[in-house]
Amino acid sequence: MEKVDVIIPAYRPGEEFAGLLDALCSQSYPIENIIVMNTEEKFWNPKWEDAFPKVKVTHLKKEDFDHGGTRRAAAKLSDADIMVFMTQDAVPADQDLIQNLIRPLQENPKVGASFARQLAREDCAYLEKYTRTFNYPDKSSVKWEKDTAAYGIKTYFCSNVCAAYKKKIYQEMGGFIEHAIFNEDMIYAGTMAKKGYGIAYAADACVIHSHNYSCRQQFHRNFDLGVSQAEHPEIFAGVPSEGEGIRLVKKSLAYLVKTGHIWLIPGLIAQSGFKYAGYFLGKRYRKLPEKMILFCTMNREYWKKQEEK
């Protein structure tokens, strides 16, 4: 049986975090360790380590957190065959999450990553529920570099909300990038695909995870997404995101009309506009003044580190 570790970056984890730990310890496929990279020790509850012996926590300061670097450091703490990365707000939908998530990695030696299906929470907004079904359908798949002609940027889609990686291939690829504003999962997946490895989507591996982002939050998020793509043209230059974004807007519009929720259309237009504006500026961040960048980003710590370099 292959050894599996779960790695979770955490920041101010609340009491619901105990529920996540309990769900992971109750999986049908046993987990060896739960490695938690916790930002700011004062927000950590040490009782969790007593209640869940599998938990191994490392504390770091807020200014030291990095989307790529923190996960990269956590990977060095794991000697497992397969590493499962999760976020603290993703909850396993059942006891078979790990088993179903790692199956594609076990069935095909050339598949290096597998990511889970994300199901909407009960409080999820109507349109966001549709977005979840658009991005995370009920059919599993494996994508390869040759699929970029058909799927474009979706070929490299992978989400560290819940994703599994073969440690051997991870080490061969050099791991997650050291310094990432966002999107470290797709940067790694794209690198892997270009080396001949596949990226699996495991539709039967489900986590409950969704957000009701405001227009402003979408703007900041997409700005950082645009920055990440601009910084890695070796991955994203040939597979622009605009086409996929337009397809989502068209599908969402048709869905609202079909289901009679036409009063939600202005909100869709507004959100889409904020998303595109953020992405557009992020792709062109090098032309923006520092104050503008700091206004647009959701990750100010990243830019402070850039200044220090």
Side-chain angles (χ1 to χ4, degrees), residues 87 153 220 238 294 305:
T87 54
I153 198 165
H220 293 313
L294 293 177
K305 292 177 184 176

mmCIF file of all heavy atoms in Angstrom, residues 87 153 220 238 294 305:
data_model
loop_
_atom_site.group_PDB
_atom_site.id
_atom_site.type_symbol
_atom_site.label_atom_id
_atom_site.label_comp_id
_atom_site.label_asym_id
_atom_site.label_seq_id
_atom_site.Cartn_x
_atom_site.Cartn_y
_atom_site.Cartn_z
ATOM 1 N N THR A 87 -6.856 22.737 1.092
ATOM 2 C CA THR A 87 -6.995 24.008 1.801
ATOM 3 C C THR A 87 -7.858 23.759 3.027
ATOM 4 O O THR A 87 -8.609 22.783 3.096
ATOM 5 C CB THR A 87 -7.631 25.089 0.913
ATOM 6 O OG1 THR A 87 -8.878 24.607 0.386
ATOM 7 C CG2 THR A 87 -6.701 25.461 -0.235
ATOM 8 N N ILE A 153 -6.369 26.329 -22.083
ATOM 9 C CA ILE A 153 -5.803 26.434 -20.744
ATOM 10 C C ILE A 153 -6.390 25.416 -19.770
ATOM 11 O O ILE A 153 -5.778 25.074 -18.753
ATOM 12 C CB ILE A 153 -5.979 27.864 -20.204
ATOM 13 C CG1 ILE A 153 -5.022 28.110 -19.029
ATOM 14 C CG2 ILE A 153 -7.430 28.125 -19.808
ATOM 15 C CD1 ILE A 153 -4.859 29.553 -18.660
ATOM 16 N N HIS A 220 -9.744 41.393 -7.450
ATOM 17 C CA HIS A 220 -8.433 41.159 -6.842
ATOM 18 C C HIS A 220 -7.908 39.762 -7.179
ATOM 19 O O HIS A 220 -6.722 39.595 -7.492
ATOM 20 C CB HIS A 220 -8.521 41.310 -5.323
ATOM 21 C CG HIS A 220 -8.812 42.704 -4.868
ATOM 22 N ND1 HIS A 220 -8.144 43.796 -5.370
ATOM 23 C CD2 HIS A 220 -9.694 43.188 -3.957
ATOM 24 C CE1 HIS A 220 -8.602 44.897 -4.777
ATOM 25 N NE2 HIS A 220 -9.542 44.547 -3.924
ATOM 26 N N GLY A 238 0.880 30.297 -24.854
ATOM 27 C CA GLY A 238 0.171 29.692 -25.985
ATOM 28 C C GLY A 238 -1.247 29.265 -25.693
ATOM 29 O O GLY A 238 -1.950 28.777 -26.583
ATOM 30 N N LEU A 294 -0.606 47.602 -5.789
ATOM 31 C CA LEU A 294 -0.993 47.308 -4.407
ATOM 32 C C LEU A 294 -2.491 47.478 -4.192
ATOM 33 O O LEU A 294 -3.084 46.815 -3.326
ATOM 34 C CB LEU A 294 -0.212 48.199 -3.437
ATOM 35 C CG LEU A 294 1.298 47.934 -3.373
ATOM 36 C CD1 LEU A 294 1.976 48.924 -2.440
ATOM 37 C CD2 LEU A 294 1.574 46.495 -2.924
ATOM 38 N N LYS A 305 7.940 41.098 -0.852
ATOM 39 C CA LYS A 305 9.062 40.176 -1.102
ATOM 40 C C LYS A 305 9.762 40.518 -2.411
ATOM 41 O O LYS A 305 10.973 40.401 -2.520
ATOM 42 C CB LYS A 305 8.566 38.734 -1.128
ATOM 43 C CG LYS A 305 8.088 38.222 0.215
ATOM 44 C CD LYS A 305 7.539 36.799 0.080
ATOM 45 C CE LYS A 305 6.971 36.309 1.403
ATOM 46 N NZ LYS A 305 6.354 34.976 1.264
#
